[in-house]
Amino acid sequence: MSDVVVFAGTTEGCEICSFLAKNKVSVLACVATDYGSKSLKENEYLKIHAGRLNGAEMENLLKELSPGLVLDATHPYAAEVTENIRAACQNTGFSYQRVLREAGAYQDKAVYVENTEAAVEFLEGTKGNILLTTGSKELGKFTALSDAGERIYARVLSLPSVMETCKGYGFEGKHLIGMQGPFSMELNAAMLRQYDCKYLVTKDTGKAGGFQEKIDAALMCDVIPVIIGRPLQEEGLSVAECKHMLTEHFGLTLKPHVTLLGIGMGSEKTLTMQGKRAVQRADLIIGARRMADSIREPGQPVVYEYRSDVIGAYIKSHPEYENIVIALSGDVGFYSGAKKLLDVLNGRKPEGVLADDFEGQEHSEKENGCVSIEIICGISSVVYFMSQIGLSWDDAKITSAHGKNCNLVSMIKQNQKVFSILGTGSAVAELAQKLVEYVMGDVVLYVGENLSYPDEKIFQANASELTSYEGQALSVVCAYNEKARPAFSTHGIPDEKFIRGKAPMTKEEVRCVSLSKLRLQEDSICYDVGAGTGSVSVEMALRADQGQVFAVEKKDDAVALLYENKQRFAADNLEIIKGEAPEALKELPVPTHAFIGGSSGNLKEIVALLLEKNRDVRIVINCITLETISEALEILKEYDFADQEAVQLTASRSKEIGRYHLMMGENPIYIITCQSPRAQI
């Protein structure tokens, strides 16, 4: 008793039989010869019947087994066999389904003929050697060609009976090639060159029959393909569609193998051998169009998609695909979408995605089919590009400005080499303009566009020469700054490093303690209220180099100093807001941290607005006058902050008087820190 009978003998038939047996569905594979069964191995669920069957024998077999399904996965040219199988099913009342082989990709330079006789007729009027790849069954018909023995090199199966048959037709020695496929494009090309062929005769045997590899080899060697057309125009299911049908019919629970593949820069030459093998095994390729098309093989199913949640949903709803490759640009560990995909495939909510956005996608392992995941690394853009320009990357600052905030100018000021992925055609010009603005126009920019593609472009120029450059979106840059100087490694830049005027400045010692109390992160969004000369603003910007700092100041002379110090320290992520708080804060992005150095009597209103914007904002207040201290303490009491602290700091500096040093006291400062109010706001 078998649940399914598969008339196989083809790659597709063997694949379906293996699929059923692996999922514990009993199947009988019917093959015409023992040779046709070599790709299959009997087990508890898979049995093999070897031997040709006529129509009556097929009917008797079906009556004996009473299968739920009969699948016809025979060769596309076995028209008579297909008719017999269909008739047997009709006569016995069993369900019949045709499984079709995908047609190969036809080429404009090929010659198409209806049948073997038409191929012989066409070749009769030509000159040049012929590689014949249609097998031994129709070899006798090609003896009608007047000079067949001299021109034809026949490639057939290396079975003794086949070789003997071919010898009977007069083909032997170097004109008879006994080999078993499949054959790669390279091997086909080598044979065409070896025998100096001008024509290649083949049938459109589809992907599984190696058709495309023959066509590609012929065109590469300037050989004309002669294609004998298919005898039937059939309707049926592809292998993938058949697997889907079988999955639903038998209620199978599958565990697809998903490979996250780093494809390198995009061209085939940057795909690793491990990656190529994964692609060859795949029955589905998923990825953005550019990436998927760069690796997919002819006739291979493809889904053009890059959104992680959509990919996860598609895989779940298409269990027929057992081996899926998701193409990712560059390397999966270098600014890649692999991280979010892993979250989705494992049923976790991706970082940065709201729960509502992920509704319906958060599956347990059981619900998402227990996806088996493999990760294959690729060649990253930084490795490829730096090798092309002859610079090492182990000592480079590496980042990405593609779709994210990135303070490139500050990085370039502090690092001799900075590599970054760009995301727009104007990105190079925008970077160059900023470097000129920050007096760094002599920085050398190495620019790479469309890396690894035929239109790849790599060049170098000073930033001052590229302020109007319009390039490609697929680009990277390496900035080389010989004058780079690292930033101060600790809080407290010396006061004399800042440009100072009459505006007040938070002194080095106080600034150091105040900033440590803020506990900034690299991506913090910070306010500096009452910024003065900008000493705190600048240090904030240098610490939160992937975030943003807003310096709020109402006095004109202080605003001017702010701009000068912003340029001096290349604090490109520092934005200067002229105005008085709290009004000037209302339209700014939500803060994570705020420093209040001057409030103009509006301290309570400023704190209230900050908490309205973000209840968990971390606030540090500097108080000099007793009145401000009193107001700050009242605020702590009113909001009952879970995290609150008051520190009084007195600093003295030495001053030389003759041969003596006297300690001169600075004004005492109260540093108030608060976060997370318990009281209702």
Side-chain angles (χ1 to χ4, degrees):
M1 176 69 181
S2 297
D3 294 321
V4 183
V5 172
V6 180
F7 288 89
T10 60
T11 304
E12 293 84 0
C14 292
E15 185 177 345
I16 290 171
C17 290
S18 298
F19 172 80
L20 288 167
K22 184 173 68 174
N23 288 284
K24 300 181 179 181
V25 176
S26 62
V27 55
L28 176 69
C30 295
V31 296
T33 64
D34 289 332
Y35 183 84
S37 67
K38 288 185 177 180
S39 298
L40 295 172
K41 186 176 181 180
E42 284 195 339
N43 56 42
E44 179 183 357
Y45 295 97
L46 172 60
K47 304 302 178 185
I48 301 173
H49 178 282
R52 299 185 187 279
L53 298 171
N54 58 32
E57 291 169 330
M58 289 179 183
E59 290 184 24
N60 291 334
L61 179 66
L62 296 180
K63 289 176 182 178
E64 178 185 344
L65 296 176
S66 296
L69 287 172
V70 177
L71 302 179
D72 176 8
T74 56
H75 197 281
Y77 285 89
E80 183 178 349
V81 176
T82 289
E83 290 298 335
N84 287 341
I85 298 170
R86 186 181 288 111
C89 288
Q90 289 175 346
N91 294 337
T92 56
F94 292 108
S95 176
Y96 170 87
Q97 182 62 62
R98 179 68 165 127
V99 181
L100 299 178
R101 174 175 290 182
E102 293 183 13
Y106 287 77
Q107 305 293 330
D108 294 338
K109 295 183 179 180
V111 173
Y112 307 97
V113 293
E114 183 178 355
N115 50 40
T116 302
E117 291 77 8
V120 173
E121 183 180 351
F122 167 76
L123 291 169
E124 188 65 56
T126 65
K127 293 182 179 180
N129 292 340
I130 303 162
L131 180 62
L132 188 63
T133 65
T134 53
S136 61
K137 289 184 179 180
E138 297 187 3
L139 183 57
K141 296 180 181 180
F142 282 93
T143 59
L145 191 64
S146 58
D147 47 1
E150 298 176 5
R151 294 179 63 191
I152 292 179
Y153 292 83
R155 189 170 73 191
V156 298
L157 288 174
S158 56
L159 297 176
S161 59
V162 172
M163 304 300 282
E164 193 64 30
T165 298
C166 295
K167 183 178 179 181
Y169 291 134
F171 292 95
E172 57 183 339
K174 67 178 183 180
H175 286 271
L176 184 61
I177 307 163
M179 298 180 71
Q180 180 183 350
F183 303 100
S184 66
M185 184 272 289
E186 291 79 8
L187 182 54
N188 285 322
M191 296 181 74
L192 290 170
R193 294 191 185 103
Q194 174 68 27
Y195 299 109
D196 190 26
C197 294
K198 302 300 180 186
Y199 296 90
L200 180 146
V201 180
T202 181
K203 292 180 179 180
D204 186 351
T205 52
K207 176 185 175 183
F211 173 75
Q212 194 62 42
E213 286 78 2
K214 297 177 190 177
I215 296 297
D216 291 342
L219 297 181
M220 184 175 72
C221 298
D222 200 23
V223 170
I224 298 174
V226 179
I227 301 172
I228 300 174
R230 290 189 175 188
L232 293 177
Q233 297 297 321
E234 300 181 279
E235 292 184 358
L237 302 178
S238 67
V239 172
E241 291 169 337
C242 181
K243 287 181 180 179
H244 194 142
M245 179 269 292
L246 292 170
T247 300
E248 293 184 342
H249 184 84
F250 292 104
L252 303 178
T253 300
L254 305 181
K255 182 179 180 179
H257 182 81
V258 179
T259 300
L260 306 186
L261 174 61
I263 67 169
M265 301 306 94
S267 75
E268 186 180 359
K269 67 182 181 181
T270 62
L271 182 63
T272 64
M273 292 301 297
Q274 185 184 15
K276 289 180 180 179
R277 287 193 291 269
V279 171
Q280 291 166 356
R281 293 192 302 266
D283 46 24
L284 177 67
I285 303 294
I286 301 177
R289 182 177 294 273
R290 176 182 64 87
M291 289 181 273
D293 285 345
S294 70
I295 64 168
R296 66 180 296 211
E297 298 194 340
Q300 200 166 35
V302 62
V303 172
Y304 298 120
E305 184 56 65
Y306 62 89
R307 293 168 294 180
S308 300
D309 54 341
V310 178
I311 290 174
Y314 186 89
I315 291 173
K316 184 188 176 187
S317 62
H318 289 78
E320 67 271 23
Y321 296 112
E322 298 179 87
N323 288 289
I324 301 168
V325 166
I326 302 177
L328 298 165
S329 179
D331 176 51
V332 290
F334 186 72
Y335 295 102
S336 169
K339 184 176 181 180
K340 187 177 289 187
L341 273 167
L342 283 171
D343 286 338
V344 169
L345 295 175
N346 286 316
R348 298 189 297 265
K349 179 172 70 68
E351 291 184 13
V353 178
L354 299 176
D356 291 343
D357 297 334
F358 200 61
E359 186 177 357
Q361 298 299 323
E362 195 162 359
H363 316 297
S364 67
E365 285 204 346
K366 183 177 180 181
E367 289 172 328
N368 69 11
C370 297
V371 175
S372 169
I373 300 174
E374 179 183 7
I375 299 175
I376 298 179
C377 63
I379 299 174
S380 66
S381 56
V382 62
V383 172
Y384 178 90
F385 180 63
M386 297 300 275
S387 68
Q388 295 297 303
I389 63 177
L391 293 178
S392 63
W393 57 270
D394 56 342
D395 58 344
K397 179 73 173 179
I398 299 172
T399 188
S400 173
H402 186 188
K404 57 178 289 189
N405 290 328
C406 177
N407 188 9
L408 271 179
V409 173
S410 180
M411 292 182 190
I412 293 169
K413 185 176 180 66
Q414 300 169 24
N415 299 273
Q416 189 175 67
K417 282 185 281 189
V418 176
F419 171 91
S420 180
I421 301 170
L422 304 179
T424 64
S426 60
V428 172
E430 291 169 1
L431 174 60
Q433 289 166 4
K434 284 188 176 181
L435 289 173
V436 170
E437 177 185 337
Y438 287 103
V439 198
M440 290 189 285
D442 56 348
V443 168
V444 178
L445 296 181
Y446 294 86
V447 180
E449 299 176 346
N450 298 325
L451 297 180
S452 84
Y453 287 94
D455 57 346
E456 174 183 272
K457 182 179 180 181
I458 297 176
F459 66 94
Q460 69 180 80
N462 288 346
S464 57
E465 303 173 60
L466 297 173
T467 55
S468 300
Y469 179 74
E470 185 64 31
Q472 300 294 318
L474 288 174
S475 60
V476 298
V477 67
C478 176
Y480 189 84
N481 182 14
E482 288 186 343
K483 300 176 182 177
R485 295 293 182 270
F488 292 90
S489 58
T490 60
H491 293 305
I493 297 174
D495 291 344
E496 60 269 19
K497 297 295 183 181
F498 292 94
I499 300 172
R500 301 177 61 180
K502 295 181 180 180
M505 183 176 80
T506 302
K507 299 298 192 298
E508 179 180 335
E509 295 80 9
V510 177
R511 188 180 343 117
C512 181
V513 175
S514 298
L515 288 169
S516 71
K517 296 296 183 183
L518 269 175
R519 299 174 189 170
L520 297 175
Q521 304 295 321
E522 65 176 11
D523 59 350
S524 296
I525 305 299
C526 316
Y527 293 176
D528 180 4
V529 181
T533 59
S535 62
V536 173
S537 300
V538 166
E539 287 219 46
M540 279 181 166
L542 296 180
R543 298 297 161 195
D545 60 344
Q546 302 302 305
Q548 198 165 13
V549 176
F550 297 91
V552 181
E553 177 56 55
K554 65 179 182 178
K555 296 180 180 179
D556 292 338
D557 57 342
V559 169
L561 287 171
L562 275 166
Y563 278 108
E564 291 186 65
N565 282 315
K566 174 183 176 179
Q567 184 184 62
R568 167 168 281 201
F569 290 91
D572 192 48
N573 58 332
L574 169 59
E575 185 172 339
I576 299 165
I577 308 296
K578 187 178 185 304
E580 185 172 349
E583 287 76 11
L585 308 178
K586 290 181 179 179
E587 302 302 320
L588 299 182
V590 175
T592 58
H593 299 77
F595 173 78
I596 304 175
S599 61
S600 300
N602 300 323
L603 183 59
K604 186 174 182 179
E605 292 80 2
I606 293 171
V607 172
L609 179 62
L610 291 172
L611 293 173
E612 182 182 331
K613 281 175 166 282
N614 178 10
R615 185 181 179 87
D616 290 320
V617 63
R618 188 168 181 83
I619 304 170
V620 170
I621 307 167
N622 278 9
C623 306
I624 298 177
T625 68
L626 296 176
E627 289 77 12
T628 306
I629 296 168
S630 177
E631 188 177 4
L633 293 175
E634 284 297 322
I635 290 171
L636 295 183
K637 184 177 180 180
E638 178 180 348
Y639 289 106
D640 188 21
F641 289 94
D643 184 359
Q644 58 176 286
E645 181 186 54
V647 173
Q648 192 272 326
L649 179 66
T650 302
S652 299
R653 293 186 180 183
S654 64
K655 182 177 181 181
E656 290 187 32
I657 300 179
R659 60 190 184 91
Y660 296 99
H661 290 78
L662 294 180
M663 298 304 296
M664 308 295 291
E666 299 286 343
N667 290 328
I669 299 289
Y670 289 84
I671 301 173
I672 309 295
T673 306
C674 54
Q675 188 176 16
S676 303
R678 296 190 185 95
Q680 293 296 318
I681 300 175

